[in-house]
Amino acid sequence: MTQRKAFRILSILVVASLSILALNLILSKIKPELYLEARRESPLDLAMAQYALMDDLSLQDKNVPNLSQKNDRGIFVWPASSVLPEYRKADLNLYRGRAKNEHALEGITIFIDAGEVVAPKVIAPSAGDGPEAAKKPAGNVAPTDPYTGLPVSPYAAQRAAEDDDNEEETAVAPDVIIAQDQILTKLADLLKNQLEALGAKVVLTRDQTDSQTEISQAAFIGNTLAMRFVDELQEQKFKSQAIEELIPYLQTAVSAPDSPEARRVFTQTGVGPELRLLLDMEKQYKDVCFISLRLGDDQAAKGSRVVYYGSSSAERNGSSELLEDSNQDMPAYVAYDASARRRLAEQMDRNIRQYLPELNYQGKQAGVGEGQVLSARYNNLTSVEIIVGERQNEENMATISKEKTLVTLAEALAHSTYQFFCAE
């Protein structure tokens, strides 16, 4: 080999080495994730390094109450624009025109909260964060059988008398009577089965938390969706530090709804910065809805009523003064999807009246309407609250204590949900 040829080969090797080094340098800038695993020995170090490379979905504006302005009612109101960038878009057009079968609601998540509600502790304005004693609503304690000790319906005696009068008609099966304190739970189970048969994912919030407060139920829903939001961001190499910092407060609120952490999110009057962030995030989940099932206490009414929390209610639910020493008085939030809530509520009201005319609402208000629904103020999903019946009305309770009535009611509500998502 001549000296000139050796020098030429050496030059080629040097140029090739420099090219490889330059390429590695460029790739390490453009695709740093390709080099992370080689540099990290532990999975934790690798995960932290991968997290550091993600782009943060930063807030679009400052999230402070001072940005709010008074409306014509003299109430401070947050700007209607979202503080969180719209990252997630659910295309509900994919569901339009679907046949009613086991695939109709695939991809739809439905939270159901059924049961009595314990009012949250009221924080005295003068004490800032010193709670008063919780006010407990009138409980539903069903009478018990003297021999078995099991709860029985107050209408069991009536059923027994009817059975005695019709002993000869053995071909007619007697009505199955559900104890009053089990009506909502039974209805929730029936509705869950109906919706799952249509392909929906259904979550009963009372199975996830022992607390009966609205805050606990809302915190569970918020935490579930916040964690889903973070996971969906990570799949696209994004992160949201603001949402991640919110999650520990939500997790605490699930089991301790009267704790300072819970009250930091779920403020007493209006909506604080943390809850505003949560509501703006939940607004991106058009493929998730929330149904709460309740019994009413209106002595002058009977029948089933559907209520939703809309813009008019929200505009009134805020503070007229923002004081530094009163962290529970916050601006109102008005960016709820009131039109979707109203549409679902109206659909449910129509089907209840069609399937069960005996549950047609009779009272001072309409069978469907807007109201101060706490369960829907604390979330920004398509939410409705169904007053299944009035516990003070004996005729009303006698009707909804029958299992066959609850089966039909579940069918009406499930069909309404199908129509909401799938009707042309």
Side-chain angles (χ1 to χ4, degrees):
M1 180 184 296
T2 64
Q3 185 176 4
R4 178 180 296 179
K5 188 175 182 180
F7 181 75
R8 186 183 300 169
I9 294 174
L10 180 60
S11 299
I12 292 173
L13 292 175
V14 170
V15 171
S17 299
L18 292 174
S19 299
I20 293 173
L21 289 174
L23 180 60
N24 283 333
L25 181 62
I26 293 172
L27 286 175
S28 65
K29 298 294 184 183
I30 299 176
K31 295 286 187 179
E33 62 272 16
L34 299 177
Y35 297 81
L36 291 178
E37 191 168 354
R39 299 176 183 175
R40 301 296 189 279
E41 295 183 359
S42 74
L44 178 60
D45 288 344
L46 178 60
M48 293 180 64
Q50 291 173 335
Y51 178 81
L53 290 175
M54 295 179 184
D55 292 327
D56 185 37
L57 199 69
S58 57
L59 302 185
Q60 298 187 132
D61 203 349
K62 291 183 178 180
N63 191 20
V64 293
N66 292 338
L67 291 178
S68 61
Q69 296 181 348
K70 283 191 175 183
N71 61 11
D72 55 3
R73 300 174 183 268
I75 302 297
F76 280 97
V77 175
W78 286 106
S81 58
S82 175
V83 71
L84 189 69
E86 187 177 2
Y87 170 81
R88 188 182 189 277
K89 295 183 179 180
D91 186 6
L92 297 185
N93 290 323
L94 298 174
Y95 296 92
R96 301 298 181 211
R98 284 191 179 184
K100 189 178 181 182
N101 55 35
E102 66 273 17
H103 303 295
L105 298 180
E106 283 184 352
I108 300 296
T109 301
I110 302 170
F111 292 96
I112 300 176
D113 173 34
E116 296 299 329
V117 177
V118 174
K121 293 182 179 180
V122 178
I123 297 178
S126 58
D129 55 1
E132 295 178 358
K135 296 181 179 180
K136 296 183 179 180
N140 286 334
V141 181
T144 57
D145 187 283
Y147 299 101
T148 66
L150 298 175
V152 297
S153 168
Y155 306 102
Q158 176 183 347
R159 182 191 66 185
E162 293 174 352
D163 290 345
D164 290 339
D165 294 337
N166 299 282
E167 287 181 352
E168 297 181 359
E169 300 179 11
T170 56
V172 179
D175 291 328
V176 176
I177 302 300
I178 308 300
Q180 181 174 315
D181 63 343
Q182 295 298 314
I183 287 175
L184 298 180
T185 301
K186 180 66 175 181
L187 177 58
D189 290 336
L190 292 169
L191 179 56
K192 180 176 184 289
N193 293 337
Q194 289 281 341
L195 291 170
E196 288 180 338
L198 294 172
K201 178 182 179 181
V202 183
V203 181
L204 302 181
T205 64
R206 296 296 175 106
D207 290 347
Q208 309 300 323
T209 171
D210 295 331
S211 173
Q212 293 181 306
T213 65
E214 302 281 21
I215 289 177
S216 182
Q217 314 307 314
F220 168 74
I221 294 172
N223 178 65
T224 301
L225 295 181
M227 295 182 68
R228 184 190 298 186
F229 187 72
V230 169
D231 289 342
E232 290 173 350
L233 285 178
Q234 290 181 353
E235 291 176 0
Q236 302 299 323
K237 309 302 181 185
F238 280 92
K239 61 185 177 183
S240 175
Q241 291 181 317
I243 295 296
E244 290 174 14
E245 292 171 359
L246 182 61
I247 289 175
Y249 293 98
L250 295 173
Q251 292 176 339
T252 300
V254 172
S255 57
D258 293 312
S259 65
E261 293 84 356
R263 286 304 191 171
R264 176 169 176 170
V265 180
F266 300 99
T267 44
Q268 187 169 293
T269 302
V271 167
E274 288 81 5
L275 183 54
R276 181 196 181 195
L277 175 64
L278 178 64
L279 296 178
D280 282 346
M281 183 210 71
E282 290 179 336
K283 190 176 182 180
Q284 300 184 26
Y285 283 87
K286 302 293 185 183
D287 50 354
V288 180
C289 67
F290 173 56
I291 300 171
S292 60
L293 304 173
R294 304 283 186 261
L295 293 178
D297 289 302
D298 188 348
Q299 298 182 3
K302 73 174 183 176
S304 297
R305 185 167 189 264
V306 188
V307 192
Y308 65 93
Y309 185 79
S311 301
S312 298
S313 301
E315 287 179 355
R316 294 193 294 268
N317 193 11
S319 178
S320 59
E321 297 293 338
L322 300 179
L323 305 176
E324 293 184 1
D325 59 346
S326 183
N327 57 9
Q328 290 298 302
D329 294 333
M330 290 291 173
Y333 180 91
V334 294
Y336 298 96
D337 193 349
S339 61
R341 292 179 170 188
R342 181 177 63 252
R343 186 160 62 88
L344 178 59
E346 290 174 346
Q347 190 67 61
M348 288 185 167
D349 176 63
R350 282 194 294 269
N351 284 330
I352 290 173
R353 287 187 282 110
Q354 179 180 350
Y355 282 61
L356 293 163
E358 61 270 32
L359 290 183
N360 283 356
Y361 181 77
Q362 299 177 33
K364 297 179 181 178
Q365 300 168 304
V368 58
E370 182 176 346
Q372 290 291 342
V373 184
L374 187 59
S375 63
R377 176 165 78 88
Y378 284 154
N379 76 76
N380 200 4
L381 306 173
T382 300
S383 306
V384 294
E385 183 165 290
I386 302 165
I387 309 300
V388 178
E390 303 293 340
R391 62 168 60 89
Q392 302 297 329
N393 187 285
E394 293 185 5
E395 179 184 351
N396 207 177
M397 294 305 298
T399 299
I400 65 174
S401 67
K402 297 177 181 178
E403 184 180 45
K404 65 180 182 181
T405 299
L406 298 181
V407 170
T408 304
L409 182 56
E411 292 174 353
L413 300 180
H415 185 60
S416 300
T417 308
Y418 161 75
Q419 289 177 314
F420 175 80
F421 285 105
C422 301
E424 294 283 5

